[in-house]
């Protein structure tokens, strides 16, 4: 839906500077997601960490002409304000965004489902979409856009065709729900459940629950679990005027009574009574969360009068909601992005955006494999015109279409293209080598019916069955956790040395760069130049610069740490030889670690040496804490900080330019917030391990493998080399393809540690071999091909590091490079 710039100016009460004519279709808050510049209105939001006004110049060069800015942001661009752009100046751009969408929402009289709760919001939303979309045009939040920014962007998608809307609302602080209620104005409210997630800013669980219920202020109906006494009490207290569908498995008087929940091997049969009618359905899941989610969906479908037969039919076909885009290495130097989320325009756009960002630095051709997009309710030619437009605007160079509908619209695509009637045909063409896929970044996106999983598997590079799964979303959550402990102006170095603590440096660096960390740090020059060659442009510090690698550093702008006169002299000499001036270096001081660094007493001579040349310039000065994780060393830590404070001040005083000062590592950030100086260096915490007690923040890395073979071994036999694996009973033994050459330490063998098979502990039997080891699965229901977790989401890495009498750092960085890293993002 389009709005004139005049009507938007009026709606948000802005002062308009510029008078270029414009119509707006798209709202943008993240400059990286730009799609249709001419019709886009960019909101320059200021957050604690970032100022959207910084992106205006870039967006302007990319064709955007309409901007909403705060007074300060406007000051910043006023000098060079282009004549053909409109600036809508407001006191608060976020409030303006919310206000605009509030007014947009008032134009629609359709049912709107608002979902809140601690868990399950996205699944309930996606399942409702699966259950209700065949006969209705539905708009819904993309992925989990449920925040103060995500909600307005979601609601903005409502248009003349929409017949039903489904939006999620998530809050992390008191006071936020009122704003979201105003924007969503739900008529149907669903409260999924209440738990401890996002609890940190709430006084009590009750406060949080009451806040969530504000979403339902003007709802016609509210749906929740009537058996949950806590929720029922909160609902009673909040005195909603809405009708209630509190479903219950215990109380027959409730409007929706669930009289039976019968779990079978891989499905659950659920019988219910609603308005005196008895019915049942089969859910293709057995976990409790899925059952609860399905009951919330059931209540909403009944309220929306979806006939019971259709509910039964569609519940049986519910598909799991995959919440992630998986990046995998493919054959022939391809990179695969597997999006099994679902296929519709909104999710296609998000996935294309993801592909585009990944492709920028890699020099890979951008290819899309796309199936027919099913059940959108749109007519085929309009739909594929839009698809073609999206594909064009995201710079896709080649499309491989699968299905009769997309094939019939082939002429819409003005890029390299080829179409096939079905997945089997495409796969056989690839298998016969008639459709080479090489040096491409490939987004594979298909409706479930097309079975693209098999296609992905075929294109995937398979070297070894053992993988390290890296959750980039969790890493960002950790980054934000540590950022929240900093003053807004404090800068951050993220340590990506040792292949990002084993997680793999490129993808990690790329993600951190996107989140605008100030510096990355690696150990040696080669690690840095690899990152540069892969396209990382962020500032990079080299912690252990080799004398032989200065040239590499100059060529790639890799900023060395300097810890001795010997190193400094050699560096200056080499830089002078190359005619380089003002090359940034980072001065390390030794304040107690006694590893590397200048002594505080070296400072006068250091100042003199630096002043007598212009080849290098001190960009920062830092030191390293030896025991910031442990209260027993607090007095020593404070002494280190004092020593650093005065020594670094001496250095700074000698120079007119600003020299950044930093001393805190992860533990320092948590425990010595007064020692932030200008910058901090985040390491282990970023990778999800608390530096203080080794507890897991958000787990980032999971090491996984699969069972190759299972056999029964009689009690008197032994397992493995040197007959070490003695058995106490007749046993079932599984062999898994991971050994000490993958980084699985030999000391974990012989019953010293365990891994997880289908959630149960399986002890290592006998010696761990080079590439394989054996585990005891006697008491575990499992089969060949089942997945095995060595450490990660369900088995904390400390279960291994404790046995090995070492620290998690060592276990993480020991996972060898032959183990494939697989990245995903929530
Ligand atoms: C590795 C390293 C860090 C990060 O330490 P963590 O304990 O992982 O947070 C910080 N500073 C220096 C100099 C380092 O070498």
């Amino acid at each position: 839906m389009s709005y004139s710039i005049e009507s938007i100016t009026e709606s948000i009460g802005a002062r308009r500077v510029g008078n270029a004519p414009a119509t707006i279709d798209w709202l943008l808050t993240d400059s990286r997601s730009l799609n249709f510049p001419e019709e886009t209105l960019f909101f320059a939001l200021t957050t604690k960490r970032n100022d959207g006004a910084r992106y205006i110049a870039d967006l302007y060069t990319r064709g955007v002409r309409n901007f909403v800015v705060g007074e300060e942001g406007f000051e910043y661009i006023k000098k060079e304000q282009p004549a053909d752009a409109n600036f809508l100046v407001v006191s608060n751009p976020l409030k303006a965004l919310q206000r605009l969408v509030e007014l947009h929402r008032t134009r629609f009289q359709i049912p709107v489902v608002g979902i809140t709760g601690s868990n399950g919001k996205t699944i309930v939303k996606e399942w409702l979409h699966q259950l209700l979309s065949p006969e209705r045009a539905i708009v819904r939040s993309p992925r989990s856009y449920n925040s103060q920014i995500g909600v307005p962007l979601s609601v903005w998608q409502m248009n003349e065709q929409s017949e039903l809307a489904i939006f999620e609302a998530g809050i992390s602080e008191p006071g936020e729900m009122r704003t979201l209620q105003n924007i969503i104005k739900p008529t149907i409210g669903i409260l999924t459940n209440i738990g401890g997630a996002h609890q940190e800013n709430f006084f009590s669980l009750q406060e949080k629950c009451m806040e969530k219920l504000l979403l339902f202020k003007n709802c016609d109906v509210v749906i929740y679990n009537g058996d949950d006494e806590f929720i029922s009490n909160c609902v009673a207290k909040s005195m909603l005027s809405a009708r209630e569908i509190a479903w219950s498995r215990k109380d027959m008087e409730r409007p929706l009574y669930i009289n039976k929940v019968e779990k079978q091997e891989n499905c659950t049969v659920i019988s219910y009574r609603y308005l005196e009618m008895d019915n049942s359905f089969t859910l293709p899941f057995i976990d409790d969360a899925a059952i609860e989610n399905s009951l919330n969906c059931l209540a909403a479908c009944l309220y929306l009068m979806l006939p019971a037969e259709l509910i039964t039919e569609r519940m049986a076909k519910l598909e799991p909601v995959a919440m992630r885009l998986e990046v995998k290495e493919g054959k022939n130097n391809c990179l695969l992005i597997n999006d099994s989320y679902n296929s519709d325009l909104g999710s296609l756009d998000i996935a294309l955006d993801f592909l585009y960002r990944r492709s920028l630095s890699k020099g890979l051709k951008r290819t899309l494999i796309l199936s027919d997009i099913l059940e959108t309710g749109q007519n085929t030619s309009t739909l594929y015109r839009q698809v073609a437009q999206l594909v064009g605007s995201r710079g896709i160079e080649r499309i491989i279409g699968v299905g009769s509908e997309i094939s019939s619209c082939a002429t819409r695509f003005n890029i390299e293209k080829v179409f096939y009637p079905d997945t089997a045909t495409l796969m056989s063409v690839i298998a016969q080598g008639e459709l080479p896929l090489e040096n491409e970044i490939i987004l594979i996106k298909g409706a479930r019916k097309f079975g693209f999983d098999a296609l992905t598997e075929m294109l995937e590079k398979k070297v070894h069955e053992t993988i390290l799964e890296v959750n980039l979303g969790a890493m960002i959550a950790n980054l934000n956790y540590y950022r929240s402990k900093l003053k807004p102006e404090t800068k951050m170095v993220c340590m990506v040395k040792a292949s990002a603590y084993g997680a793999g440096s490129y993808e990690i660096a790329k993600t951190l760069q996107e989140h605008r960390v100030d510096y990355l740090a690696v150990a040696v020059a080669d690690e840095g130049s690899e990152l540069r060659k892969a396209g990382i442009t962020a500032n990079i510090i080299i912690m252990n610069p080799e004398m032989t690698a200065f040239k590499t550093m100059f060529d790639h702008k890799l900023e060395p740490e300097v810890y001795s006169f010997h190193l400094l002299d050699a560096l200056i000499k080499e830089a002078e030889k190359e005619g380089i001036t003002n090359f940034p270096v980072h001065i390390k001081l030794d304040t107690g670690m006694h590893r590397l660094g200048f002594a505080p007493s070296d400072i006068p001579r250091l100042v003199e040496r630096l002043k007598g040349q212009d080849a290098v310039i001190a960009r920062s000065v830092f030191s390293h804490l030896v025991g910031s994780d442990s209260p027993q060393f607090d007095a020593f830590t404070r002494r280190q900080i004092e020593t650093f404070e005065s020594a670094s001040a001496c250095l700074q005083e000698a120079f007119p330019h600003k020299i950044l000062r930093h001393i805190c590592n992860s533990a320092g950030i948590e425990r010595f917030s007064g020692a932030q100086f200008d910058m901090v260096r985040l390491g282990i915490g970023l990778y999800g391990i608390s530096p203080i007690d080794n507890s897991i923040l958000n787990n980032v890395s999971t090491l996984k493998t699969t069972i190759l073979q299972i056999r029964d071994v009689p009690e008197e036999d032994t397992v493995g080399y040197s007959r070490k694996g003695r058995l106490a009973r007749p046993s079932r033994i599984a062999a898994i393809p991971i050994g000490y050459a993958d980084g699985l330490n030999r000391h974990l063998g012989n019953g010293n540690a365990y891994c997880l098979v289908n959630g149960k502990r399986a002890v290592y039997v006998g010696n761990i071999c080079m590439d394989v080891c054996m585990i005891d699965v006697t008491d575990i229901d499992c089969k060949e091909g089942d997945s095995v977790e060595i450490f990660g989401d369900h088995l904390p890495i400390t279960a291994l590091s404790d046995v090995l009498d070492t620290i998690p750092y060592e276990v993480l960085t020991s996972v060898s490079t032959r183990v494939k890293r697989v990245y995903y993002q929530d």
Side-chain angles (χ1 to χ4, degrees), residues 495 497 501 521 543 561 588 595 622-625 628 662-669 680-687 691 809:
M495 308 307 289
K497 60 190 179 190
Y501 290 48
M543 309 300 290
E561 163 186 323
K588 183 179 229 178
R595 185 171 62 180
F622 71 105
S623 189
H624 198 31
L625 298 171
S628 54
H662 46 115
I663 193 166
C664 282
N665 56 358
S666 306
I669 300 172
V680 295
R681 301 186 305 274
L682 181 62
I684 193 80
L686 185 62
Y687 305 98
Y809 296 72

Side-chain angles (χ1 to χ4, degrees), residues 174-191:
E176 291 184 338
M177 193 56 99
R178 202 174 292 279
T179 310
L180 300 186
Q181 192 278 332
N182 257 323
I183 303 170
I184 300 177
K185 294 190 183 69
T187 59
I188 301 169
I190 301 179
L191 181 62

Side-chain angles (χ1 to χ4, degrees), residues 798-815:
T798 44
L800 309 193
S801 59
D802 288 351
V803 170
L804 296 170
D805 194 17
T806 183
I807 47 178
Y809 296 72
E810 188 183 352
V811 179
L812 277 180
T813 54
S814 301
V815 178

Side-chain angles (χ1 to χ4, degrees), residues 127-136 281-284 306-319 375:
W127 279 0
L128 277 178
H129 179 256
Q130 291 179 24
L131 292 163
L132 294 164
S133 63
E135 45 278 302
R136 294 171 182 79
F281 64 90
T282 303
L283 181 72
L306 185 67
E309 318 80 76
L310 288 182
I311 293 180
T312 306
E313 182 186 317
R314 290 176 193 167
M315 282 281 188
K317 288 195 247 160
L318 281 185
E319 288 170 358
E375 296 172 357

